[in-house]
Amino acid sequence: MANFNLVLIVLAISASAFAFDNVLSETERTISEDVIDEAPAAEVEDKSESPLEEDAVEVIVDSLVEKSGKYQVLEDELVGDVPNNLEAVNLNDIQIERQMQIPSTTSQTNTEYAHIDGRVLPSTSYQNNGQPYVITPQRLQQIRGNFMYWFYDQGGNENIGDYQRDIHTSTPQIHKNFNFQLPFFGFRFNYTRLSMNGYIYFSDPPDHYTYPLSFPIKDWPTVHDPSFIGIFFSKCRIGSQRPEDPDQRRPGVYFRMDRDLQTRTDQLGVEMRERVTWDIRQGVIGSESFFPKHTITITWKNMSFAGGIDNSLFVTNTFQMILATDEVFTYAIFNYLEINWSSHTEAGGDTTTGEGGVPAYIGFNAGNGTRSYDYKPYSQASVLRDLTGRGWANGFPGRHIFRIDENILMGTCNKDIDGANLPLMFAPESGNMLGGTVVNITGPCFNPDDRITCRFDTESVSGAVVDVNRAICIQPRIYHNGYARFEISINNEPFKWKGKFFVETPATAHEKIFFPDNAVHERYPPEIRITWNRYNLTSNLNVQLKISLWGYKEVTIRPQLEYIDMIEAGVANTGEYVINPQNFRNRDNIMHNDMQFGFLQINLTTPEVFKGVSISPILWSRPIPLGWYFAPQWERMYGQRWSNSMCNDWLRTDRFLKNFASQVWVCPCTLEHALLDKGRFLPDPSCDKDTNPTCRYHWGAIHCVRSASPSPEGSGQQCCYDKNNFLMLSYDQMWGSRPHRSHDFGFTPYNEANKVPSLSHWFHDMIPFYQCCMWQEEQAVGCETFRFERRPSQDCVAYQSPGVAGIFGDPHIVTFDDLQYTFNGKGEYVLVRVDHPQLKLDVQGRFEQVPRNIYGDVNATHITSVVSASNNSVPIEVRLRPQHSQWRYRLDVFADGKRIFFDRPALRVQYFPGVTVYQPMYILNQSEIVIMFSSGAGVEVVENKGYMSARVYLPWNYMNQTRGLFGNWSLDVNDDFVRPDGTLATVDLNNFQTAHRDFAQFWRLSDREQKNIGVAMFTREYGRTAAYYNDDQFIPNFIKEPANFLPANRSQDVTRATEICQESYQCRYDYGMTLNRDMAEFTKNYLASITNIKETNARRVISCGILETPRFGRKSNFFFTPGTRVNFECNQNFILTGDKRRVCEADGRWNLPDYGYTECLRNQEYSQQTLFLTWGIIVAIIVPLALIICLCWFWCYHKPKTEGKEVFRFENIPRSKSASRLSLRSPSMGNITDTMKSSTLRSQYSDKPKAPITPTEETPITATSAVTRSAPAPPNEPQDGETSGIGYTDSNKSDSNKSDKPSSLKKRRGYDKTYRTHEPLPNAPQVEFPEKPWDLSEEDLLSITSPSDSESNRDSTLTRPAKDIEFLKPRQTGRRLLPSESGYSTKESEDPYAPKYDGQVSPVSSHYSPTYSEIYSPPISPTSDISPRNTYNNPGLPEPPKSAPANEIKTFTLPPQRGKSVETLIDPPASEMPIFSSKSTMLHTISETRLNTFTGNQEYSQRTLGATWGIISAVMVPIAVIMICIGWRILLRRKQEEKEEANYLTKGRQIDPDDSVKINSDDDSIPYKKDVTEDSPEPTEPVQIGFTYGQQGYRQDPQGYSQEVPQGYPQEPAQGYAQNSPQDYSQEAPQGYPQDSQRYPQSTQPQLYSANRPQPFVQNPQQPGSQWSGETEIN
C-alpha cells in the first residue's frame, strides 16, 4: 500500500498537464468536451485498484515499489521542483483526482484497452465492431496521463513490433524513408538514418569525432557536417535488463511511423493524434493551431555505454523521442525515463559506471556548415543527469519539448542556467499597438507564488503564473512601431530573460473585427454589421462579451485614446453583431464629441483572474470614423451641415501647422517608374494591386505607393496611379494622390502628438478627408480647399529616376555608369561606399566559391550575402540559404544580428530605426527582399533557384559620392575604377585579371576598420570572421570566352553555351565554368532585368504638370503628357468662361489661354462678373482722373488760399505754342484759336515804359540805321509759374518774379516738323528759292533794323517778334542764341522777346522765321474780343495799323467781362489781301496751304477726342463731384480740428512739482502705479494741471482734465476710465492692466505734468463735468 501511495504522489505532481486548452478549436478535436462526464471518483478508483489478473498483456506489478507508472525513479533530485500549489492549473478537483489515479502505460486497466496498452503492436485496420473508433472522455484523460508513448516488441509481420533488430554493434545505424516531408532547422527531409548512438541524422557524419563535440563543423565542406537530432548523442551499445525490471520488453532501439493521422480512424491512429495534439498544444506556447499529420516514435530502451566491461551492460539509460509534423511545423518531444550513465570510454568515461569524461551531446545541428543548437546547460555537462527531473512539459518531470522546423525554440523551462541575457520564448511574437494581446512566456521555471513583471519597451505590467513552464502577461498600450524590447523579471530580480516583441500599427495589424459593408464609413447608416472569429477570444462559446467604443484625439502633447461608450454588454460569443446607430442619437458625450475616429473593442465581460491579474484577450478593429455615432451630436452643435463646419475648423487649424510638402519625395509620373524606385517608395497596403485592389480612398486607382520612411518632420508621400498607369492628381479628382502630414509608421518619439503610428496619420490626414470630401460633395468648397491647398498632389515635373547598379552570376557587375565587368574574388568586398558627413551608405557583398561540377572544383565565385547600412540605421543582411534549406525560405534576413521573418501579413513590412525592410506582398518564400533607407537609397536582393542578384538604387544626391566595386556615379565610365586611396586604375575590360588585380582586390574587407573602406558588417556565427571567407590563394579563371578556356574535347559545352546565351558573354562564361544551365539562364535574366531597369529609368516622362479642373466642371481626360488635348465642360446651369480647350505642348507646358483661365460660373455669377469687369474698366479710368482732379484742386486752389497765396485762375493759363502759331494764320483757323489767348497780349495794367518809336513800312529802314543788338539768349530752366505751354515762358509775370541769372549758351531750334519750304505750290510761279540757313548768325542779327520809337512803327508786324520761335527744352533745337544789346529781355528766366517797354515790337524779320507768316495782326488792344461771331462789321474798332490798308481789316472790342481783357485777331479775306512782292506772296501761299491741311486733321481728331471724353465725362463727372464734396468735407473737418487744437494749446495751468508724474519711461510694461510711501490728503478742490511745453494732444481745462486724442488715435471715449466725482476719481483699468482703485490716491498738490508720449485715453463722455484728481504715472 505504501508503494501505491508513492505512485499517487508522482501522479499528483503530473496533474498540471491536464489543464483545458482554452485556445483549442473544437473542429480539430475528435470528440467534444461537452460529452465529458464527470464520473465519480470512486468509480475510477475502483477500476484502478481492481486486480490485475487479466493476461491480455504482460504486466509486472511487483516492482512498483521501485518505479512509478512512468518508470521514473523517485531518488532523483525533485525537491523544490515539484509545485506544491496547483491552483494556477485550471482543473477542478475531480479531474485532478481522476488523473492522479490513472494507471501506468504497462499496467492493464481493463480488457477493452489491453491490445493497445500492452506489448503487441495493434493492427492499423482495427476498428471497434467495424465502426470508426471514437475515443471516450475517460480514455482521453487516461492516455494524457501517460509519460511514455507506446512502443511494442511484439506483433507486426515479423512479430517484433517496433523493435529494430538490424541495429546492433556491428551495424549502429539503418536508413528509414519517411514518404513525407519533415522540416528540420530550415531544411526539409523525407528520409532519416536511425543510429544506435542516441540520435537520428540526415547527412553523412564525419569519419571520426573529437570530444567535446562542436557543431557546426568549421572545416565543412572539407569535413562532413551532419544534420542530426540528438536526444543523447553518445556512443552506445544495447544493454541488458534484470529480471526484476518493471518493463521486460527487449532492450534496444524501437522505431514506428504513424502517418496520415488526420484521416486515420483506427484506435492507435486516433489516440496517437489526440495525445500528440494535446501534449504539444499544452506544452509549447504558440502551437494552439497545430494539428499533426505524421508522427515518428523512437525509443532507446536500456542502452549502455560503449567501451565498458560486461557488468556495465546493466548500467542503462532509457529515453524516447517523438517527432510530430504537419509538414510545415515540426515538434520534438524528449522523454528521459532514466539516465544512469553520461559518457562512454572514448570520451573519457570509466569502463564501469560511464561517469567522468565528456558527457553526451544534447541538441540539434542543421548541417552543411550552417548552424546548431546546444541544449544548455545539459549538453556535454555533468548536470545532464538532471534531465529526468527537469522540463516539466505537460506537468511531467523528464519531458522536454522543442519546436525544430525553422529555428530551435525551447518549449519548456530551464532552471539551471543564469546570465544577463537569457533567451526568452514567448508567443505570439507580435501584437497590436493598442494592447490587449495575451503573451505566453516560457523560459524560466516558475513557482506559483512568484511575482512576474513584464516590460514592453518602457511600459511595465504584472504577469501571472499558469504553471511551472508558463506565465502570461497582457500587452499594454505601447506607442511604438517595429521591434521593441521585451523583458521579464521574477520577484524583483533584474530583467535577465529578454526578447524582441514586434509592435504592429493599428492600421496594419492583423484584422480581427470585420465590417462586411461600407456602412461604418457613412454619415447616417441604418445599421452596422460586425463579425469576428469567436475562437480568437476563448474556446468557451458560452461566455459573454462586451463591445465598447473608443476614440482618439490630439489636443495636447500627449496622445489621448479614451473610452467613449458601451455599445453592448452581455453579447453572446456568436461571432457577429449588428449595431443600431439610432440607439445613440440622444447621447451627449460632451467630453468626447471632438473625437472623430476611433475603434471598436471586444473582450470578455468577466475576465479570468490569475493572482489578481485580469486575463482577457482583446480584439481591436481597424481605425474607423465615428460619424455614425456622433452625427446627431454634431448636428446639434453645428447644424445640418456639420461636416462643412468641422471641415472649416480643421482648415483653420491645419493652416497654423508647418508646411511639409516640400520635404517629401516627388511622385513618379508613371506606375512603371514608381515600381522601379525601390529606394523611396513601397506598396501602400490600402491600395495594392496584389493584396488589396479595392482602394477605398482612391477609387479608380489600380495601385498606390507611399514613401518607405517618414521625412525628417515625420511626414510622408503617397502616389496613386490609374488604369493608364499615370499619376492621379487631387487637382483632377478627390481620389487623387495626397501627401500625408503624419506617416503611418509614426516618428520617434512615438508617444507624442503627430508622431503616433497610424493614429496621428488618421487624425491629420484621413479624418479631414472624410469631413471635407467623403461626407460632402466633391466640388464643395471644403473639399476643393483640402485638395488644392492643404493636401494637394505634387506633380511629377521634378521627378528624377534613381541610378541603378547591380551584381549577379559569377559574379558580373554593372556599375551606375553602365560599365560591365567581371570579378571573381573570394571573400567580402565593398560594393558601394558613400562617406559624406550628411550622406553615408555602406553596401557590402560576400563572394563564395561556386559548387563543384562533374569535372571537379569550379574556379569561380558567386554572391551569397549582402549587408547594408546608412547613416545611423541598423545593418540589414540578406543571406542566401543553402539549397536544401530553401524549401520554405529562400533567403535569411538579419536585422541588427537577429533573424527576422516575413511569413505573416503584419510582418511583411518591418520598420527599424533609419531603415525599412519589406517583402513584396506577392512573395511568400522570402525570395525577394527590399531594403529602403531614409536617405532614399535602396537595396533589392532577388533569389532564383539558389542564385542571388543584388541591385542598388540611389537618388541623385548621391551623384559623385559613390566608391567601391559599383564605381563612381558621375555619368562617366572613365572614372569608375577608383581605388580607396583615390587613384584611378587602368583596367582592360577584356582581361578580367587587370580588374581583379589592379582594382577590385583593393576593396576587400576585414574585421577591423580600414580607411576609406570601412569594416565588415556581416553577422558572425560560430566564430566565422572575414578571414574565414577571404582567400588570397584562390585564383579564378580570367579568360572571358568558354571557347578559350574549355579544353578542345569539350566543344559541345561551347556550342551549348552559345545556344543558351547567344550574345551575353556573362551567360556564356557562367555556363562554361559551372555547366549549370539554371545559373547561366538566370545570369542572362538578371542582366536583362538591370538593363531594362536602366533603360526605363532613362526614359524621361515629359509632364506639363497640373491643370486644375474648374470648379463645377470636368475635364475630358486627366493626361498631362505632350500632345494631350483637354476639353472643359461645365455642369448643368453653369456657364464656361475662358478657354474651352488646353493643349500640352512638346516643351512640357500647357499652352497659354487665349481667353483667360477656365471657370464655370452660375448665371448670376457670370452676370456679376461681367458687370464688375465693366465697372472695373470704368473705375480704372475714373479713379485716377478723380484723384488727379482732387489733387489739382487741392494744390491749385485750397492750399494756396489757405496759405494766403494767389489761387489758380483759368485766365492765367498761358497759350501753347500751337495756339500761338495758329493765331497768326489764315482766317479759316480762327475757330481753332477762339479758346486760346494770344501769348502776345499784355495786361491793361502793364506799367512797362514806352519803347522808342520804330520805323514802319512807310518809312523803311535805311542802310544808315545802325543795328547794335545781338540775338537774345535762350531761357534756362523756368522758375515756378514762369512756364506756359511747352517751352514758353509766361510773359504776363511781373519783373519781380524774373530771374537775374545770366543766360547760358544752348543750341535750340524751333521749327514745324511738317513744313516743307521746297514743295511746289499750285498756280505759283516756278521760282527757285535760295537756300536759307536755319540758324541766325550774328551778321543776320546785326542787319536787322533796330526798333524805332515812332508811333507808326510801334505796332508794325515787321517789328513784331515771332512768338512761335520758342525753345522746346529737351528735344527741340532752335537758333543759336547770342547776348543782345537790344531793349528786349535777355534774362535767363523770361521770354527773350518779351518787350521791356510798352508798345515795343519785335526786331526779328519774318524772313528769318521758318514758321513766321506775314499775316496782318491787329495791334494789341485790351478790349479786343476773340469771339468768332464778332469778327466783322462791329463798330467801335480801333484804328488799323499803318502797315495794313484801313479798309481791309476790321477789329472790334467788346466790353470786358469780370475784369478780364481779351483781344481778337481779324484776318482779311484772301481775295482782299494786299499784294506784296513775290517773296512775300509765296510765303503766304505756303502757309495757307499747310493750314488748310492741318485744319482737317485737327477737326477729325477733335471729334474723336470729344466723343471719347463725352463718354468718360458722363460717368466721371458725378463721381468727381462726389469726390470733391467728400474732400471738401474732410478739409472742413480738418480746419475745425486745427482750430480746436490751437485753442487748446493757448490754455495752461501749473502743476505742483511735489506731486511727481512718471513720464518718459522706456518700459511700456510698467503699469500705472502710485507711490504709497506717504498718504496724500483729500483734495478740497479740483486739481488744475498746466502744460507749458505745448505738447500736441493735450489741452488744459480749468473745469477738469480732458485730452485731445493725439494723431494716430481715434477720437472716441476711452473705455478704460470713468470719473465719478470731483473728489473721488476711479478708473476702469484698460485692457491688459489690473483694475485697482487703490492705485490712484488723491492729492491736493498741484502737479507739473510733462509727457513725451501721450496716452490713448480721454475723459468718460458720460460724465463731462467730473473732475480728474490724483497722481498718475504715464509711460
Side-chain angles (χ1 to χ4, degrees), residues 373-432:
Y373 178 86
D374 293 354
Y375 188 24
K376 298 294 184 181
Y378 309 109
S379 178
Q380 300 186 108
S382 59
V383 294
L384 178 144
R385 293 174 57 90
D386 295 338
L387 286 172
T388 57
R390 298 289 189 265
W392 289 102
N394 307 122
F396 293 108
R399 175 172 290 182
H400 306 257
I401 303 181
F402 305 87
R403 177 182 166 184
I404 63 173
D405 50 88
E406 178 58 38
N407 292 321
I408 307 301
L409 302 177
M410 186 176 61
T412 53
C413 69
N414 196 328
K415 188 177 181 178
D416 299 308
I417 60 175
D418 196 5
N421 294 280
L422 301 177
L424 182 66
M425 181 177 177
F426 53 92
E429 296 179 349
S430 63
N432 195 315

Side-chain angles (χ1 to χ4, degrees), residues 1467-1499:
D1467 296 332
S1471 60
E1472 300 179 359
M1473 289 190 61
I1475 299 175
F1476 299 96
S1477 63
S1478 60
K1479 184 182 296 185
S1480 177
T1481 305
M1482 180 60 66
L1483 290 174
H1484 175 76
T1485 306
I1486 294 172
S1487 178
E1488 182 180 7
T1489 304
R1490 177 184 173 277
L1491 288 174
N1492 292 335
T1493 304
F1494 177 80
T1495 302
N1497 295 334
Q1498 184 75 8
E1499 289 177 351

Side-chain angles (χ1 to χ4, degrees), residues 552-560 562 751-754 763:
Y552 178 83
K553 63 181 178 181
E554 293 180 358
V555 295
T556 62
I557 190 62
R558 295 302 175 190
Q560 299 176 6
E562 299 177 357
N751 59 350
E752 292 183 1
N754 198 31
F763 182 80

Side-chain angles (χ1 to χ4, degrees), residues 773 778-789 1110-1112:
C773 292
E778 181 176 356
Q779 295 175 340
V781 176
C783 186
E784 292 192 346
T785 306
F786 178 88
R787 292 162 49 198
F788 300 160
E789 177 189 344
R1111 188 184 177 193
F1112 306 117

Side-chain angles (χ1 to χ4, degrees), residues 11 14 18 69-70 102-106 117 139 141-150 275 279 335 396 399:
L11 293 177
S14 64
F18 309 111
K70 300 173 291 182
I102 293 177
S104 68
T105 302
T106 58
D117 292 337
R139 178 60 180 174
Q141 294 180 3
Q142 179 181 345
I143 62 176
R144 290 175 180 174
N146 293 332
F147 177 71
M148 297 289 286
Y149 278 72
W150 301 284
R275 184 175 182 179
D279 288 346
N335 291 327
F396 293 108
R399 175 172 290 182

Side-chain angles (χ1 to χ4, degrees), residues 57 108-118 133-136 138-140 142 267 271:
V57 294
Q108 178 184 0
T109 57
N110 50 46
T111 58
E112 182 180 359
Y113 303 110
H115 64 282
I116 190 171
D117 292 337
Y133 176 76
V134 177
I135 191 170
T136 63
Q138 292 80 7
R139 178 60 180 174
L140 185 62
Q142 179 181 345
Q267 183 177 359
E271 292 188 354

Side-chain angles (χ1 to χ4, degrees), residues 1119-1164:
F1119 299 131
F1120 44 76
T1121 54
T1124 301
R1125 294 177 178 267
V1126 178
N1127 297 323
F1128 298 99
E1129 295 179 358
C1130 290
N1131 298 344
Q1132 189 176 2
N1133 299 326
F1134 286 85
I1135 299 176
L1136 188 142
T1137 63
D1139 279 17
K1140 297 183 179 180
R1141 175 185 296 177
R1142 298 289 295 277
V1143 179
C1144 181
E1145 298 177 344
D1147 59 351
R1149 298 174 182 270
W1150 293 104
N1151 67 321
L1152 295 177
D1154 296 330
Y1155 304 102
Y1157 290 97
T1158 307
E1159 289 183 308
C1160 291
L1161 303 177
R1162 296 183 176 90
N1163 294 330
Q1164 183 179 1

